[in-house]
Amino acid sequence: MAGQTGQPGRSVISKALSIMSSFESLPAPISIQDLAEHARVPLSTTHRIVNELIEWGALERDQNGGVHLGGRLTALAARPSASMRRLLQPHLEELCAVTGHTVSLGLREGDQVRVSERCYGQIETPRLTRVGSRVNLHLTAMGKILLAHEPQWFQDSFLSRDLALSIFGEATDPAELREELTQIAAAGYVHTQHSIPEEVEVLAVPVFHHEKISCAIDLMRPTDAQSPFSDFLPALEVAVSRIQSELDHFRTLPPWDND
């Protein structure tokens, strides 16, 4: 019977290692039955071992039941040279390819957001900022999404200062900005439009690490009244979900770049 080719006397560790070695030969995702046959482990035992490996994070199961290597295993392998940039860049590039639009990632540094990474899409878009530039939090979509998810004490401190004026028309009145931040936090994203002088719009979402805000990602495109930019929100959410799943395998986030 398929999957019942186990060898007596093998330890659980030996069986688990045989299952893991299947990923060296078979293309992922792999079905449980194929894992059992390739590893020569009984099907019921394979189910049990795979479930334990999934619970630990060494493996992950897709929506069709196929199994592939998990983020925790990848994080362990990458730990000596791990950096946020290396971990997140493939996800940003995939999001850029899927949407065709420019993707940026921002990190909060004090009262500002730093544009830390960018992937340029097929559709040419005017550049509001450049990689490495820093902008006050309330003046960009990424900055607003970061500020909206900071603790209340941080928001109070930020709003108590003289807020810089913007050529883009963002609110600088503390009461108005506080209301906007409340709405952004409730929605889970922010959509802004700018004239520089060409019309562009930006859609930004937060990225969390163990329920704390860690960074933000945005999409930018020329304004298109015929095509709602919110249609791209699901693609952003999928990218964020994958990023958060990978980051959550780290107790403490690695540095942005260790090159």
Side-chain angles (χ1 to χ4, degrees):
M1 182 182 297
Q4 301 298 323
T5 54
Q7 300 172 357
R10 295 174 67 190
S11 68
V12 174
I13 292 177
S14 174
K15 294 173 183 176
L17 290 175
S18 293
I19 291 171
M20 294 300 294
S21 69
S22 300
F23 291 89
E24 297 177 330
S25 305
L26 303 177
I30 308 174
S31 70
I32 300 293
Q33 183 167 332
D34 286 345
L35 283 173
E37 293 177 350
H38 188 272
R40 303 189 66 189
V41 174
L43 186 58
S44 60
T45 303
T46 301
H47 271 289
R48 177 173 57 81
I49 292 175
V50 166
N51 286 335
E52 291 182 9
L53 290 171
I54 289 174
E55 184 177 354
W56 186 82
L59 297 177
E60 293 177 1
R61 182 181 281 115
D62 66 19
Q63 59 184 5
N64 297 316
V67 180
H68 56 87
L69 295 179
R72 187 171 184 181
L73 195 65
T74 305
L76 283 174
R79 187 168 293 275
S81 59
S83 70
M84 287 275 284
R85 184 174 185 273
R86 291 182 180 179
L87 290 170
L88 271 57
Q89 190 170 27
H91 298 287
L92 302 181
E93 291 174 349
E94 181 178 2
L95 179 60
C96 184
V98 167
T99 64
H101 295 302
T102 297
V103 178
S104 302
L105 181 141
L107 300 173
R108 183 175 72 81
E109 293 186 348
D111 293 344
Q112 298 180 316
V113 56
R114 173 167 63 88
V115 181
S116 302
E117 188 67 18
R118 176 168 289 155
C119 299
Y120 294 98
Q122 299 174 347
I123 301 173
E124 186 175 353
T125 305
R127 303 176 188 179
L128 294 171
T129 57
R130 66 180 186 279
V131 175
S133 62
R134 293 169 173 80
V135 186
N136 286 352
L137 289 170
H138 67 296
L139 300 183
T140 68
M142 284 196 297
K144 287 180 179 179
I145 203 73
L146 289 169
L147 183 57
H149 289 90
E150 288 292 346
Q152 190 64 50
W153 67 264
F154 183 89
Q155 292 186 22
D156 292 342
S157 175
F158 184 89
L159 295 173
S160 68
R161 305 165 197 178
D162 291 332
L163 301 178
L165 297 176
S166 167
I167 62 173
F168 304 140
E170 278 72 18
T172 56
D173 176 74
E176 186 178 347
L177 183 55
R178 187 185 296 277
E179 177 62 25
E180 184 181 3
L181 294 176
T182 300
Q183 294 173 1
I184 290 171
Y189 70 95
V190 57
H191 179 202
T192 61
Q193 293 182 292
H194 311 281
S195 299
I196 56 172
E198 297 137 342
E199 294 285 338
V200 298
E201 52 187 332
V202 184
L203 189 65
V205 294
V207 177
F208 295 93
H209 176 246
H210 296 311
E211 300 184 354
K212 293 184 178 180
I213 187 74
S214 63
C215 58
I217 296 175
D218 75 22
L219 279 180
M220 184 185 303
R221 73 166 185 180
T223 299
D224 183 357
Q226 304 303 315
S227 173
F229 206 19
S230 57
D231 288 350
F232 290 98
L233 190 57
L236 270 166
E237 291 172 339
V238 168
V240 166
S241 177
R242 291 174 177 171
I243 289 171
Q244 289 178 167
S245 178
E246 189 158 359
L247 293 182
D248 280 348
H249 293 301
F250 291 84
R251 181 172 299 177
T252 302
L253 289 178
W256 171 250
D257 203 337
N258 58 9
D259 290 340

